Amino acid sequence: MRRRAFVTTGIMLGLTALIAACSPTPDKDAASAGVTKLKLATDWRAQAELGGYYQALATGEYKKRGLDVTLIQGGPAVNVPQLLATGAVDVGVGSNSFIVMNLAKEGAPVKAVAAFMQKDPQVLIAHSDQGINSIADMKGRPILLSDASITAFWVWLKAKYRFTDDQARKYNYSSAPFLADKRVIQQGYATSEPYLIEKEGKIKPAVFLLADSGYPAYASMALVPDSLIAKNPAAVQAFVEATAAGWRSYLYGDPKPGDAAILKDNPEMTQDVLDQAREKMRSYGIVGKDSEIGQMSDARWAEFFQVASEQGVYPKTMDYKKAYTLQFLPKGQ
């Protein structure tokens, strides 16, 4: 079981200076050959939720656009904003909108240039025989939440459904407490925990995707330092276009190249988990189709910031538009 932790304010201190002072050393041989080398850090171990990046690499989408991309696998000890800050990577995958807004709050010169998940895959999971037919029915119930979630989507749940902090219980990334107590609600990803609960617990849980109830966050965003945007905007555009093509191919074409690369990077992954996760991404519309892939809008970002700032997460006077740019959105097929 895994869940990506978003960046806390303490970690963010000093990122502005670090990013300004540290930038990757250009590869002269690559530059002379017309190739731009980019290091890409993902936000977790290889899995279907990162399939578009792996597919773009495996099928040559990056290469044919003049990019030599090295993919650095994420994990519990990998902090993507820190890697961006020190110049260790050129592009990072941002798990959710709070990560990007936290960077903007601290004045870090990093922007989201595309969102490869139109819906955040976060779900709440309940036992199907408890009369819970909507998220609203969970009011007053104990809910297993990670520390990161308390300062992320829990903010939205409290604002919309008037949930209270006394409902929160510590989530240790195990479904054992959920399986042991039918009253308990558990957080998860639509593409992961429900399948594992069904497979290991032999029950079919009730699953509620927050995005389908109005949660406005994006996920799987491409984060790029302002310095790269200024120095090589063509490379940023090429990366976005190639990744969009990778996602389109992975979800609606032949996923075998991406799956093979994922299984090679992460031997603990299995084909059945990949297959069901890909199907969930399609059925829930998490990535989107064709022209939707990679897109962002001012309206969505404004909605997200309004909810978060009204709950005191960010100052209402903060210039949240520094968190992203619409300059490099994919132009479609």
Side-chain angles (χ1 to χ4, degrees):
M1 291 282 190
R2 59 89 182 91
R3 195 54 51 233
R4 300 138 173 155
F6 81 94
V7 180
T8 61
T9 301
I11 293 175
M12 296 308 305
L13 295 176
L15 283 188
T16 304
L18 278 170
I19 294 172
C22 303
S23 59
T25 303
D27 188 303
K28 294 181 180 179
D29 292 337
S32 63
V35 175
T36 300
K37 288 196 170 190
L38 294 177
K39 291 181 180 179
L40 164 65
T42 64
D43 58 348
W44 200 253
R45 298 188 186 99
Q47 54 187 343
E49 292 91 331
L50 297 165
Y53 304 97
Y54 277 92
Q55 183 85 347
L57 187 61
T59 59
E61 292 291 348
Y62 293 127
K63 184 176 180 180
K64 75 180 185 181
R65 290 171 175 81
L67 303 178
D68 180 2
V69 174
T70 300
L71 193 151
I72 299 169
Q73 186 178 198
V78 176
N79 185 291
V80 171
Q82 279 190 335
L83 291 176
L84 286 166
T86 58
V89 300
D90 308 289
V91 186
V93 177
S95 302
N96 58 59
S97 295
F98 283 96
I99 287 178
V100 185
M101 283 293 173
N102 289 346
L103 286 162
K105 180 182 179 181
E106 296 301 324
V110 174
K111 287 181 172 59
V113 296
F116 291 107
M117 287 186 175
Q118 295 300 295
K119 296 180 179 181
D120 190 313
Q122 288 286 351
V123 295
L124 291 178
I125 306 166
H127 286 264
S128 58
D129 59 356
Q130 292 296 296
I132 296 175
N133 300 307
S134 69
I135 293 176
D137 294 335
M138 299 176 186
K139 189 172 182 180
R141 296 264 187 159
I143 302 178
L144 297 171
L145 299 165
S146 69
D147 291 341
S149 299
I150 290 291
T151 46
F153 66 83
W154 183 242
V155 171
W156 175 79
L157 288 168
K158 290 196 297 182
K160 182 164 184 174
Y161 296 101
R162 303 305 178 203
F163 288 1
T164 54
D165 286 332
D166 60 0
Q167 292 180 245
R169 304 289 189 275
K170 182 75 171 180
Y171 179 50
N172 63 0
Y173 303 100
S174 167
S175 291
F178 171 81
L179 293 171
D181 186 349
K182 287 190 172 185
R183 293 190 67 253
V184 168
I185 312 296
Q186 180 190 306
Q187 71 168 66
Y189 257 29
T191 49
S192 179
E193 280 81 1
Y195 176 72
L196 294 174
I197 287 172
E198 187 171 350
K199 184 178 179 180
E200 298 171 6
K202 309 303 181 185
I203 64 168
K204 190 172 182 62
V207 180
F208 302 88
L209 184 70
L210 303 191
D212 285 349
S213 294
Y215 183 48
Y218 290 116
S220 195
M221 285 158 286
L223 309 184
V224 177
D226 288 354
S227 57
L228 180 60
I229 290 173
K231 293 175 184 177
N232 199 342
V236 177
Q237 187 71 62
F239 178 85
V240 170
E241 297 290 349
T243 305
W247 273 112
R248 191 175 295 113
S249 172
Y250 187 66
L251 290 180
Y252 307 111
D254 179 7
K256 290 179 182 176
D259 281 351
I262 290 170
L263 292 168
K264 181 179 178 181
D265 257 12
N266 183 6
E268 295 180 4
M269 182 53 61
T270 59
Q271 190 64 52
D272 65 309
V273 173
L274 292 176
D275 292 342
Q276 67 83 33
R278 194 165 47 250
E279 176 53 35
K280 294 285 179 57
M281 286 189 280
R282 286 193 295 258
S283 63
Y284 280 112
I286 286 173
V287 173
K289 294 184 179 180
D290 298 331
S291 61
E292 296 175 334
I293 296 176
Q295 298 298 316
M296 302 187 298
S297 72
D298 286 322
R300 276 278 296 275
W301 280 111
E303 181 183 1
F304 176 83
F305 178 74
Q306 180 179 355
V307 172
S309 61
E310 285 179 351
Q311 292 298 307
V313 180
Y314 307 111
K316 291 184 178 181
T317 56
M318 185 179 114
D319 185 2
Y320 69 90
K321 289 189 175 183
K322 288 185 176 180
Y324 68 95
T325 176
L326 305 182
Q327 178 183 350
F328 303 102
L329 297 183
K331 296 176 173 55
Q333 297 188 63

